[in-house]
Amino acid sequence: LTDIPGMLAQIRRVLLPGGKLAIIEFHPLPTPLGPPVSSRIAPEQTIRLLETNGFTPAECVSMGENFYLLTASMAV
């Protein structure tokens, strides 16, 4: 993605009150599949992006060696 703040603004615009955002992203480590490590976003960076763009992160869980899942809601 080239415009993460723009994308998050559009998600905020269409997300219903009480709705949740779920992000599945590659761990920033070499894995057997996926984009180059330099293109991946660490969970901590994803959390900062969400917080600075009007979301409240709720949960971050590993989904094995390749992915993590992060959920968030709109900040109140």
Side-chain angles (χ1 to χ4, degrees), residues 57-73:
E59 182 179 24
C60 185
V61 294
S62 179
M63 297 177 64
E65 68 179 43
N66 293 315
F67 307 102
Y68 65 90
L69 167 70
L70 199 147
T71 60
S73 58

Side-chain angles (χ1 to χ4, degrees), residues 1-57:
L1 299 171
T2 57
D3 182 13
I4 293 173
M7 176 201 62
L8 291 172
Q10 288 300 315
I11 292 170
R12 276 194 327 274
R13 185 180 66 77
V14 299
L15 192 64
L16 295 173
K20 302 277 185 203
L21 168 63
I23 297 171
I24 297 175
E25 179 60 72
F26 285 92
H27 289 294
L29 306 167
T31 58
L33 58 120
V37 174
S38 61
S39 298
R40 300 175 185 200
I41 302 174
E44 300 80 13
Q45 183 181 1
T46 304
I47 289 168
R48 281 192 306 274
L49 285 166
L50 289 168
E51 289 173 337
T52 59
N53 286 280
F55 289 88
T56 301

